[in-house]
Every structure is written in C-alpha cells, then in structure tokens.
Amino acid sequence: MAAIAFGCSSFALLRAKQNDAAPEPLLCAQNFSLLRLKQSLRSCASPARWRSIGVPRASVEVVDDRLIEKEEKERVRVLRVGVICGGPSAERGISLNSARSVLDHIQGGDIHVNCYYIDTDLNAFAISPAQVYSNTPSDFDFKLASLAQGFESLSNFAEHLAASVDIVFPVIHGKFGEDGGIQELLEKYNIPFVGTGSSECCQAFDKYNASLELSRQGFITVPSCLIQGSEADESELSKWFARNQVDPKSGKVVVKPTRAGSSIGVTVAYGLADSLSKANAIITEGIDSRVLVEIFLEGGSEFTAIVLDVGSGLDCHPVVLLPSEVELQFHGSVDVTEKDAIFNYRRKYLPTQQVAYHTPPRFPIDVIESIREGASRLFQKLGLRDFARIDGWFLPQSIHVTSSSDSKFGRTEMGTILFTDINLISGMEQTSFLFQQASKVGFSHSNILRSIIRHACVRYPNLASFGSVSDYVPRRSKTSMLNEAVHNCNGTRKVFVIFGGDSSERQVSLISGTNVWLNLQAFDDLEVIPCLLAPTTGDSSNEVDVSSRTVWSLPYSLVLRHTTEEVLDACTEAIEPDRVALTSHLRNRVVQNLMEGLKKHSWFTGFDITDEPPVKLTVEQWIKLAKEAQATVFLAVHGGIGEDGTLQSLLEAEGIPHTGPGVMASKICMDKLATSLALNHLSDLGVLTINKDLRRKEELLSTPIENVWHDLISKLQCETICVKPARDGCSTGVARLCCVGDLSVYVKALEDCVLRIPPNSLSKAHGTIEMPNPPPELLIFEPFINTDNIIVSRNENGHQILWSGQSRWVEITVGVIGKQGSMHSLSPSITVRESGDILSLEEKFQGGTGINLTPPPSSIISNEALQRCKQHIEIIANTLELEGFSRIDAFVNVDSGKVLIIEVNTVPGMTPSTVLIHQALAEEPPMYPHQFFRTLLDLALERCI
C-alpha cells in the first residue's frame, strides 16, 4: 500500500513510530498517548524560533491586484488554470465559495490561477482574486463595471480563455455549469477543461433523463412522474398516484426541479393537490419548466459518494471513495412535516444540528461495496470524466420498491440501493463531501484538487507535459520526513487552533477554526494543530470545572465535519475498535483501487495525510502541553468560555500567548450591558450607546407578559424592541418585537427550549430565528433602531444600489487590528439584510448568503464621514483596551460619522466569507487570507515578547 503521511502535528506524532506496525497499536491507552505527546512536544520547543517571520509556501506578490508567483518568472512551464464561477443558478453563491476554496488550495508553485465570473445574464468578467473572497456575488455585482474586465460576448470570453489559460476549471453549480452550457462553449473553441463533456453533462444533469438512462443501463430507479409546460397536468399525475399506490389525499412525495441541482426547489408534498401546487410553484417561479414528482423513500438512508477517475488518457478508471451517510436529525418536539424533511439547501450549507454525516456509512460492508461498485459503473455508463458526486438511497430489505425487472443492479440481500442525483461539479467548500471523503484515504485539499486537474491535462496532447512529472511534492508526504520531524520538527513553531465549545455559535466556531487551521498551514515555519473544545454533556457548562473539560486534538479528516457534535461523535468512533477496523478495511480497499490507476501517472507523487486517531485531553493537560511546546494558541471559540475571559485567564496564568484581547477586555465585551457602561462617557467624542434593560429568564416566565411589555416600552421609551441574549454571541436569539404578542411568542420559545423560531412567527415578517441552547438566563431589551433599507437591484443597465437615505443611519460591522492602545480600524462594511429586520444566521455565516458592501459606497457615506467613523471605531477599541483583533458592530450616521454601538466581538467569526477578510483585502496593499491570519498570530506573540 502507498505510504501516507501527515506532517509534524504533535498529536499525530504519537503514531510516528508505529507507521509500519500492525493495526493493534493504534488503539493505545490514552495515558500512553499523552506520554508520547509530551515527549514529542518537548523536543519541538524552541523559543528562538518564535521570532522567525514565515512566508507562505506558495509565496506570492500582488501586482495589479492579481496574485503573481515570485518563482513563476523563473519557471519555463507554469500551468495556467482559469477558474470560472457564478452563473445564473440560485447556487451561484455556493459556486463562489467553491472557487475560493480552489484558489486557496491550488495557487502556487507550478500552478497560476486566473479568476472569472459569469453573472445571472451570462455576461462574463475577469475578476480579481480579491472578489472571490466576497460572501456572495451581490457583494460585487454592482461594481463589476469598474473593478472587472468585461467581455462583449461569450465568444469573446472564450477567445480570451484560449489565449490566457492552459485549462479551465469550471466551478459553476447548476445551470450553465452542470447542464453542459459552459462545456459546450469551451469545446467549440477547443479549450481544455476539467470535468465531463457537454453532451454527457446535459443528459446526467436532467434528473428525468438521467433516471431513464439509468433504468436502461440496468439500475433500479425511484418511481417518478414528469410534469412539464406552463401548468401541471392533474390527470396524468392522478394516474401516477394510483399506479404507485400513493394516497391522493395525503400520500407523501418529493417534488423537485429536473434541472436545478440537488438542493434548489426540492420539497416534500402531501397528496395530489399539494403536489400540483408545489410543482406549479416551481414552474411559475421560473426555477424550472420541468418538474419531477417522486415516491418518498420512507425509512431509507441517504448517501453520497465522490467518484475519482484515475485512468490514463481516454481510458476511464473510476474509483469511488468512502461514501458518506446523510443522517437528518430532529431535536426536541417537532411536527410531522419536519420529521418528513429532506436534505435541502439549508441543511446542506448551514451548520446546524439538523444533519450529521457518517464516513463511511453505518451500513453493512457488503452494501457499502455495492454502492461503490454501482457508482463506479454509473460513472462509466454515463461517460463522466475526472470526478463527480453521486447521491442515492439505501432502503432496508423490509421496504419494497417497484421495478420493471428484478435483475436490475441495486438489489442486495440487505436491501435496495438506488442512485438518484448526479452532480457533475460537486461543491468544493472547505468541509464539502469532496474533501471529507478524499481526506479519509490520504488526500489533502491541495492534493485532491491538483490530482483532478493533472488528470484532466492527460486528455489533451498540448498539455501532455503538465500531465507528466510534476515538481509539486505534497508537504511531508514521506514517512522518513515524518520520523525526522519527531526529533526536531524542522524548526517549526507550534500553533494550537481551538474551536467548538458550548455556545449557540459553536458550529460557526468550527468553521472559523477550520478556516484558520487551513490558512495557517500555508506557512512552512508553522505546525498547526486543530483542537476541539468538546461541548459539555450537562445542562449547563457552569456546573463543570473548566480545567477538567475535554479537548480533542484532531487528525486532518476529523476536522472536516458539519457540526461540533459530529466531530465529537467521530472522535468517539475513531477509537472504537470495531469501527476502526471497518474503516481501516474499507480505506485500504479504496487506496488499493486508487493506486492501480495512480501508479501509472508520473505526476502523482503520493498521499499526504493519514487518518490517525484523535487524542483526548483535559483543558488542564492541553494547557500544560501548550506551555511545554511553547505554542501560541489561536482562539476561535465564539461565546462562552472562549470569549468571556475564561480561556484567556487560564492561558495567561501559564504565560501562553493567545490571539485576541486579554482577560478584562474579553469579560467586558462579552457582557453587552457592561460594554455600554464602559463607553457611555464618550458621547462628546462621537460614540453613542443604546439604552438597555436587563431581565432574567425566570422573571419573564413568572410575570404576566402584558406587564412586562408595558414596563419595557415605558422604560425604553419606544414602541418596537430588540431582544438578545445578554452574554451570548451576536447571531442567535436576536429578534424584533413589535407587540405583546411577539414577546409572548419569544418567551414561550425560551420556556420550551426550542432550537429555532419558525419564519414569520412574529407580527413582522422574518426568517428562521436560531435560538441559544440552552436558553440564556439573562436577556437584554433595547429600542429597535430603524435604518433605511438598502437594496441591490438589477435592471437593464446592470446592478445598482437603491437607498432612500431618510433616517441617515446604516448598520456597519468593522474589524479592528493592532496592539493595545494603537488599534487600527479596517474599512467598515455596510450590512444589507435580504429579508426581515435583523440579520439571520444564514446572512452572517452561511457562505453564499448575505450581502456586505465593502468598502461602503460613496453614494451612501462620504469619504470624510467614513474617516470620522473609523476614528470613532478606534476610540471604542482603545477605550475597551482591545488588542490583536476584534469586530465592532454599530450604526453609523452617514453625515456626521457618529457611531451608535451595538456590540463588540473579541473572537469574531473567521469563516472563509467573513467580512474581516473583505476588509483586509480593502487595505492598501490588500491583505490576503494567509497573510491576514498570520498577522493576527504574530500580534499574539509580539505582546508576550
């Protein structure tokens, strides 16, 4: 089997001397693991190395706002890859996230990336890499005319590509990306590209046509009915209901567009009338003119599998990686419709406990092998290329699915396997299925993406040299390098990135920590260890001694999960003997299959990570190890003990440098009332605070709601109130209350410990309100601040910003960075709400959702007012004695630049699409993510020198 190595992670080092041993030693006792860990950390500690200034492995310089490799000038052949994102689909925001991930992980050395964007009208633009880090295309659509190079037509765009890039990597999801549109354009102009050809895309993307072809090829398919045209045909659908023995009054079915990807517009319907209504909605809303109605697969388990082609030339050799089981989860009291829910867009892309993934699936091993065999066969039969993601269902033997032939592929002794969706361009966000499954068999993000690109090059004679020997070597890909690192760690500085915790923002914390970890890995002088602060099992974290809480150090693949709970479950599974044996067996099979093809490619230089077991520690042990290793701790725990000064106090007591503000500043900023009190003397300097009323949850539950409401509006002198947790993060439990009825709904949600308040439960329209779990003990009520709506609209002249400017106040969020007493304000971002009056969790943290205008347009706030605003922000930061970095949310008066403070986040979101990145890129010169996070890390070290 090919050697797999991870690198000099201190926690991974526990396995360093066991690489060639039998599997049994992997299940070593925790005390033995801890001893080995201490020994390796002591050997790696070196204060002299702390002051070394690292540069990313992919060393770059910014020229004309483009990334140019310093070594490129010296190389004869650098592969020029054109990454194309956007498109007309509703998944265009996810496409932007995928492009960002591809850019992050392939740029450098022997590959140079040019970025391109297709808007909703199929206009093409060459964009700066900086735009790829936007949260959503709407962040820059209105600026394309001034910031990007536009092309008069798609033909002109193709001519440019033919002259400017060697190969195109399309990452457009849905229409024009997976339906064969962009592929047909590239084929017409003989431009090499990654992925499946146009005609094969066209067939596979249409769910109905793909189902027919699968049936012809011998696969069992889900019974379905096609509805097309301007209106659904009731008579035909009625016959289908009868033929499949579905109750026309209440029988459950799935209604989905045939050509809109795997998530958009997919819903559950009940009976004939509801099915017709939802099908017509898909048609009238313009999502698709063809709609599929399918049997609801009751009692089945959904799975998804990445297929990687490792064949040579035009020979297809598909290998299916370890599939993932998709488990929908339901917590607390839920209604029937939620229990009938499906894996929709929100569940796929928003980090909540509504879904969990299991890789490999919890299916019998024969079923898993049948899934792999079937997906491989499907890949070949449909003529797919390079890579794809194939979704399906496993139905236990007790569930019968009608089929025209009992001999069709998919029937096993344990149940039935059905393939339902083919994704030609799988999502490539940091924790996507592509990277989850690839990491389980030894590929890092960079390695799997580069392997896909190099494989595509082999098909094209003019790219033959790029498909031969590569000078790219995966970092620490050889066992000998790992063993050497055990002794001296190659002069690296230790960084412990910690995330997770108990707060309602723990899922966002996981995304933040993952993003920091991946970005800091770009530096050769750093050894970055991801660590999960495990959620407590009790009702309240306050009842648990912090020093005895659990921290898990994580191997590469276990970080790439959807929620902290999922990571924790994976840690438990990873040290459970039976599960370890099953995973090891399956992984070895996959690696063997991969090597049968990869060994024929000279460009493949090996796997670069290993799926090692995690190490379980107490917080006390973890801090002791950090001290012995002379490590720097990068704090990414949002809320709770990560933001209230608790972790900061424990670290500072041991002299361990950490990112962000110190103990007292953290304590004050975590308490929204204390923050206001600390700033209420600054009104003459242009810093204003909002009146607040603090209430205990018990008081709200025991006092008549009418009395509470009238008392609040009397004290706050307002008619509309904003409620939020007093000591939680900035995203959950925040709501606008317009009447006593709204307060009653909110208090009832607290009493019932609900996880979310459904959309439009209050008197004024709003989206889903995620609630803290457990409910907060203290809540703050304050006047709701009315601001003018800002709308990014589209007309025949393009995109434009509409703003009435009546109130003269807008909401902003702004990062501050620097040393205590001399904090620097980055350029503020104006936050734009797409629905409701308060930014939703999706708009803040779900990639591809929410709009931020960075820097603020001059049509809204003048440069003079903006500069005064930044001065006021710096006054706030220095008054609160912030250091390192933080984020300040406020309202700003667009005429005077005065700010009305909302709150301060000392451990702000650091997700791939965070506004902090947008703001850092707006600096002169632009600060790209690798450099930004390295700067924050170095600031932590400097204050301890």
Side-chain angles (χ1 to χ4, degrees):
M1 188 181 80
I4 306 175
F6 174 35
C8 183
S9 164
S10 299
F11 300 99
L13 293 177
L14 298 176
R15 311 265 38 94
K17 295 183 178 179
Q18 299 174 345
N19 282 349
D20 298 323
E24 287 76 11
L26 291 174
L27 303 175
C28 59
Q30 283 296 326
N31 57 350
F32 179 70
S33 295
L34 185 57
L35 176 62
R36 293 285 302 277
L37 176 57
K38 289 181 178 180
Q39 293 172 343
S40 64
L41 286 172
R42 289 193 190 103
S43 68
C44 297
S46 175
R49 289 196 295 269
W50 278 11
R51 292 174 175 80
S52 65
I53 303 299
V55 295
R57 283 192 301 280
S59 182
V60 300
E61 60 186 14
V62 178
V63 179
D64 294 329
D65 207 22
R66 293 177 57 207
L67 291 175
I68 304 296
E69 296 298 323
K70 290 181 179 178
E71 295 179 351
E72 180 177 325
K73 302 168 186 176
E74 303 172 6
R75 296 186 186 277
V76 176
R77 296 286 285 173
V78 172
L79 182 65
R80 301 169 301 167
V81 178
V83 174
I84 306 178
C85 63
S89 163
E91 291 184 282
R92 55 202 294 268
I94 302 301
S95 169
L96 188 63
N97 296 345
S98 293
R100 181 191 309 125
S101 191
V102 172
L103 174 64
D104 277 344
H105 295 294
I106 69 170
Q107 173 81 302
D110 54 353
I111 292 181
H112 175 71
V113 181
N114 293 330
C115 300
Y116 301 94
Y117 171 70
I118 306 289
D119 71 8
T120 53
D121 295 322
L122 298 185
N123 297 307
F125 300 87
I127 62 173
S128 158
Q131 303 307 323
V132 176
Y133 293 97
S134 299
N135 193 43
T136 169
S138 297
D139 285 359
F140 60 80
D141 270 334
F142 67 97
K143 297 187 287 187
L144 286 171
S146 59
L147 290 181
Q149 174 190 350
F151 299 95
E152 293 182 0
S153 65
L154 288 177
S155 297
N156 289 339
F157 174 49
E159 291 170 357
H160 165 86
L161 290 174
S164 303
V165 304
D166 298 306
I167 191 167
V168 166
F169 197 149
V171 292
I172 299 175
H173 304 311
K175 294 179 180 178
F176 197 68
E178 295 180 89
D179 62 0
I182 186 67
Q183 292 82 1
E184 185 177 14
L185 176 70
L186 298 172
E187 288 168 350
K188 180 179 178 181
Y189 286 85
N190 297 314
I191 300 170
F193 63 90
V194 174
T196 300
S198 61
S199 60
E200 292 82 4
C201 279
C202 185
Q203 180 183 56
F205 181 68
D206 187 300
K207 294 180 177 65
Y208 182 70
N209 291 343
S211 179
L212 293 178
E213 181 61 24
L214 286 178
S215 183
R216 282 193 290 267
Q217 294 291 347
F219 290 87
I220 297 175
T221 56
V222 183
S224 62
C225 177
L226 178 66
I227 297 172
Q228 57 185 336
S230 59
E231 239 179 57
D233 187 331
E234 181 175 355
S235 62
E236 284 299 316
L237 187 58
S238 178
K239 293 176 184 177
W240 180 85
F241 265 73
R243 189 163 57 249
N244 289 279
Q245 300 179 343
V246 180
D247 186 343
K249 292 184 178 180
S250 59
K252 286 186 295 186
V253 296
V254 176
V255 181
K256 60 174 73 172
T258 65
R259 300 167 297 187
S262 60
S263 306
I264 300 298
V266 184
T267 184
V268 176
Y270 303 88
L272 179 61
D274 192 30
S275 300
L276 288 169
S277 173
K278 289 178 176 174
N280 282 326
I282 291 173
I283 294 171
T284 56
E285 290 172 13
I287 297 176
D288 200 351
S289 60
R290 289 159 54 92
V291 179
L292 207 58
V293 179
E294 292 180 342
I295 295 291
F296 187 94
L297 299 175
E298 192 81 57
S301 298
E302 192 168 0
F303 65 81
T304 187
I306 296 295
V307 188
L308 191 65
D309 185 4
V310 295
S312 301
L314 298 178
D315 295 331
C316 182
H317 181 174
V319 176
V320 181
L321 306 184
L322 290 180
S324 299
E325 175 191 355
V326 178
E327 179 192 11
L328 298 187
Q329 298 184 325
F330 308 98
H331 303 270
S333 58
V334 295
D335 60 27
V336 175
T337 56
E338 184 170 349
K339 287 188 176 180
D340 289 339
I342 52 179
F343 189 43
N344 58 15
Y345 188 87
R346 190 173 197 269
R347 286 183 170 86
K348 184 174 290 187
Y349 296 115
L350 183 67
T352 67
Q353 284 183 264
Q354 293 181 299
V355 65
Y357 305 138
H358 305 276
T359 307
R362 299 167 301 175
F363 304 158
I365 190 168
D366 290 345
V367 172
I368 296 174
E369 291 294 4
S370 293
I371 289 171
R372 295 189 62 235
E373 178 189 350
S376 175
R377 182 186 298 188
L378 186 156
F379 190 96
Q380 283 185 304
K381 294 289 186 181
L382 295 184
L384 310 186
R385 299 193 313 214
D386 296 331
F387 78 116
R389 196 188 84 231
I390 298 174
D391 303 338
W393 288 79
F394 168 61
L395 306 178
Q397 190 65 46
S398 58
I399 302 173
H400 178 69
V401 178
T402 57
S403 174
S404 59
S405 171
D406 289 337
S407 64
K408 288 194 173 185
F409 181 89
R411 296 207 184 278
T412 72
E413 292 183 1
M414 305 299 295
T416 303
I417 297 167
L418 303 100
F419 296 103
T420 56
D421 286 287
I422 301 154
N423 301 271
L424 288 312
I425 302 177
S426 178
M428 284 166 270
E429 293 184 299
Q430 287 182 345
T431 58
S432 66
F433 290 119
L434 173 65
F435 300 126
Q436 283 185 32
Q437 296 180 21
S439 68
K440 294 295 281 187
V441 296
F443 289 104
S444 67
H445 288 66
S446 177
N447 202 5
I448 186 64
L449 290 172
R450 283 172 166 263
S451 295
I452 290 170
I453 293 169
R454 294 291 181 186
H455 179 269
C457 288
V458 174
R459 281 197 304 277
Y460 302 98
N462 60 319
L463 298 180
S465 61
F466 294 113
S468 58
V469 178
S470 170
D471 61 358
Y472 169 78
V473 178
R475 189 187 186 198
R476 300 183 178 95
S477 61
K478 297 180 181 179
T479 304
S480 60
M481 292 178 65
L482 182 61
N483 287 331
E484 180 183 350
V486 172
H487 302 294
N488 57 30
C489 283
N490 298 322
T492 57
R493 165 181 157 199
K494 296 294 180 186
V495 181
F496 291 5
V497 179
I498 187 166
F499 45 85
D502 280 301
S503 84
S504 56
E505 291 187 284
R506 61 189 178 278
Q507 317 306 358
V508 177
S509 171
L510 173 59
I511 303 175
S512 292
T514 301
N515 188 44
V516 171
W517 163 63
L518 288 172
N519 271 281
L520 290 181
Q521 284 193 111
F523 296 90
D524 274 323
D525 66 325
L526 299 181
E527 191 61 47
V528 191
I529 301 102
C531 306
L532 172 74
L533 175 63
T536 54
T537 56
D539 293 333
S540 173
S541 60
N542 294 328
E543 298 173 0
V544 180
D545 178 26
V546 172
S547 63
S548 64
R549 288 188 57 176
T550 299
V551 174
W552 289 88
S553 74
L554 304 173
Y556 198 107
S557 67
L558 291 195
V559 184
L560 308 180
R561 300 302 173 113
H562 197 68
T563 66
T564 55
E565 289 77 14
E566 191 182 328
V567 175
L568 186 59
D569 289 343
C571 288
T572 304
E573 285 186 354
I575 57 175
E576 198 278 316
D578 290 342
R579 184 68 175 175
V580 170
L582 171 65
T583 302
S584 178
H585 170 76
L586 291 170
R587 181 171 57 247
N588 290 342
R589 289 285 298 273
V590 174
V591 170
Q592 182 180 0
N593 296 155
L594 286 168
M595 288 308 300
E596 289 173 3
L598 291 174
K599 67 183 180 182
K600 301 175 183 177
H601 297 288
S602 56
W603 51 259
F604 182 68
T605 52
F607 300 99
D608 53 343
I609 62 173
T610 185
D611 199 38
E612 298 182 344
V615 176
K616 183 178 182 180
L617 306 162
T618 64
V619 168
E620 183 178 16
Q621 291 171 325
W622 178 77
I623 289 177
K624 184 177 181 181
L625 289 172
K627 183 176 182 179
E628 291 179 0
Q630 297 179 335
T632 302
V633 172
F634 202 117
L635 292 171
V637 179
H638 303 318
I641 67 170
E643 206 161 352
D644 67 2
T646 302
L647 277 182
Q648 291 84 350
S649 177
L650 292 172
L651 293 169
E652 290 178 15
E654 297 297 328
I656 300 170
H658 64 82
T659 55
V663 177
M664 289 309 299
S666 297
K667 284 184 177 180
I668 291 172
C669 294
M670 184 64 173
D671 188 323
K672 297 177 178 67
L673 183 59
T675 304
S676 286
L677 293 175
L679 300 173
N680 63 9
H681 65 289
L682 299 176
S683 57
D684 291 343
L685 298 178
V687 176
L688 309 176
T689 57
I690 305 173
N691 293 331
K692 290 176 171 57
D693 189 275
L694 186 68
R695 303 275 172 138
R696 299 194 67 83
K697 182 183 67 173
E698 289 79 4
E699 175 190 350
L700 297 174
L701 297 178
S702 60
T703 307
I705 292 296
E706 293 82 1
N707 295 355
V708 175
W709 177 257
H710 291 300
D711 190 41
L712 285 170
I713 61 176
S714 174
K715 286 185 176 180
L716 296 174
Q717 293 294 296
C718 64
E719 295 182 356
T720 304
I721 292 173
C722 180
V723 60
K724 60 182 71 172
R727 294 171 184 166
D728 207 335
C730 61
S731 307
T732 55
V734 184
R736 179 181 183 179
L737 308 179
C738 300
C739 61
V740 65
D742 289 349
L743 178 61
S744 179
V745 170
Y746 190 90
V747 172
K748 181 65 174 173
L750 295 175
E751 183 179 18
D752 294 344
C753 301
V754 302
L755 296 181
R756 60 194 62 86
I757 298 176
N760 303 322
S761 297
L762 306 179
S763 59
K764 192 168 178 60
H766 64 86
T768 299
I769 301 173
E770 298 287 338
M771 296 295 288
N773 182 32
E777 294 299 321
L778 293 172
L779 294 112
I780 281 179
F781 295 86
E782 59 189 30
F784 181 84
I785 306 299
N786 281 299
T787 59
D788 298 317
N789 287 333
I790 300 173
I791 301 172
V792 178
S793 69
R794 184 165 63 100
N795 56 30
E796 63 276 5
N797 297 320
H799 292 80
Q800 61 178 340
I801 296 175
L802 302 179
W803 175 60
S804 64
Q806 293 179 351
S807 77
R808 313 306 291 166
W809 289 89
V810 296
E811 185 175 350
I812 61 168
T813 185
V814 54
V816 289
I817 182 172
K819 299 180 180 180
Q820 187 179 122
S822 58
M823 295 294 283
H824 167 69
S825 170
L826 301 176
S827 178
S829 300
I830 293 180
T831 55
V832 180
R833 298 181 297 274
E834 294 184 284
S835 63
D837 297 299
I838 293 172
L839 286 176
S840 66
L841 190 68
E842 288 96 331
E843 289 172 318
K844 284 198 174 185
F845 298 115
Q846 178 176 302
T849 307
I851 301 172
N852 296 288
L853 307 180
T854 311
S858 58
S859 60
I860 295 178
I861 182 170
S862 67
N863 184 62
E864 293 77 10
L866 182 62
Q867 294 307 313
R868 288 194 293 271
C869 168
K870 293 174 67 174
Q871 292 171 6
H872 296 145
I873 291 295
E874 290 172 354
I875 290 173
I876 293 171
N878 292 324
T879 300
L880 293 172
E881 297 186 344
L882 301 181
E883 57 186 315
F885 72 111
S886 296
R887 195 190 76 230
I888 297 174
D889 298 339
F891 300 102
V892 61
N893 184 284
V894 298
D895 299 317
S896 66
K898 289 183 178 181
V899 297
L900 181 60
I901 187 74
I902 300 174
E903 60 192 7
V904 179
N905 299 275
T906 54
V907 185
M910 292 167 278
T911 65
S913 54
T914 177
V915 293
L916 293 179
I917 297 297
H918 311 171
Q919 294 169 11
L921 287 166
E923 293 288 291
E924 289 294 341
M927 189 183 300
Y928 282 82
H930 295 330
Q931 287 78 16
F932 177 68
F933 289 116
R934 180 58 189 257
T935 298
L936 304 185
L937 184 69
D938 290 339
L939 281 169
L941 185 63
E942 287 175 14
R943 71 181 182 189
C944 295
I945 294 177

